[in-house]
Amino acid sequence: DSDSVAAHSYMVVLISLLLAKQLEGTFGPFDIAKVLSMATLHDLAESVTGDLDSGLKRRMAAKGRSKAILEELEQDALSSLTGDICGNESLLDMLREFDEGTTKEAKLVKFADVLDAFAHAHDRLGKVFEAYLEHSKEQLKRHGPDTDGRLGVRLSEWIDLVVARWASIAPKALE
């Protein structure tokens, strides 16, 4: 019942593209090349490390253990995968931007990432990872120097709407 990195990344790319086009009228133009690049590469390290659960990272930090170890593994994987590519530093900068969520493009891709993860967990596993959703909503609502916060707040609200509407749908795993 697991999702492949490739299948998940494709869905994040598709959702990000369609959403960027839909939201341009309200939030101004998005850098579509950045959105697509970020969505395509957002989980590149997982092609080497596998999915390092964000809940595990938070639990390690809460218990005084260093989540930096897991992040260092991901950074090593990214460096090894992009090391020979011309302009690899700009790719790594873009992925840091995604992790920090400081731009509207990063927020859009993060929302797409959360939406696909939620859909997979709900439909295939019959679960809703509430702590993950709450953490993601807080990430979206934070605004950086490149955002005024409106987009993140709207996307955070949409997570609540998606969860509420899909709550009435019987997960496939439970049928």
Side-chain angles (χ1 to χ4, degrees):
D1 279 348
S2 69
D3 204 6
S4 72
V5 174
H8 168 69
S9 292
Y10 175 75
M11 287 308 300
V12 172
V13 168
L14 184 60
I15 293 166
S16 296
L17 175 63
L18 296 174
L19 197 54
K21 292 292 189 182
Q22 184 68 31
L23 293 177
E24 281 182 334
T26 305
F27 295 99
F30 287 83
D31 181 339
I32 297 296
K34 184 189 279 188
V35 166
L36 294 177
S37 297
M38 198 177 284
T40 301
L41 300 174
H42 81 281
D43 278 341
L44 180 62
E46 290 183 9
S47 66
V48 174
T49 65
D51 186 6
L52 297 176
D53 179 64
S54 57
L56 172 64
K57 292 176 192 177
R58 285 192 304 279
R59 284 192 296 277
M60 286 181 73
K63 293 185 180 221
R65 297 184 180 117
S66 177
K67 80 175 188 178
I69 294 170
L70 297 176
E71 290 171 349
E72 186 177 327
L73 286 172
E74 288 178 337
Q75 289 305 313
D76 286 348
L78 280 173
S79 293
S80 85
L81 289 168
T82 63
D84 293 338
I85 297 173
C86 182
N88 73 329
E89 279 305 315
S90 65
L91 293 176
L92 296 175
D93 287 344
M94 181 190 57
L95 291 172
R96 276 189 286 278
E97 179 182 317
F98 168 74
D99 287 337
E100 294 166 2
T102 56
T103 63
K104 65 183 187 177
E105 289 82 8
K107 289 185 182 307
L108 186 80
V109 175
K110 178 63 178 174
F111 174 79
D113 183 34
V114 171
L115 184 62
D116 184 62
F118 169 78
H120 176 78
H122 185 273
D123 287 352
R124 295 242 179 103
L125 306 176
K127 296 184 179 190
V128 175
F129 295 99
E130 291 180 24
Y132 168 72
L133 293 175
E134 288 304 315
H135 177 74
S136 297
K137 289 183 340 188
E138 290 306 312
Q139 278 184 308
L140 287 168
K141 287 191 255 183
R142 280 193 313 237
H143 60 277
D146 295 340
T147 64
D148 64 7
R150 291 182 312 121
L151 176 63
V153 168
R154 175 76 53 88
L155 295 174
S156 176
E157 292 167 349
W158 285 356
I159 289 174
D160 288 333
L161 288 172
V162 168
V163 171
R165 288 183 180 166
W166 282 18
S168 64
I169 299 172
K172 291 178 190 172
L174 301 177
E175 291 177 345

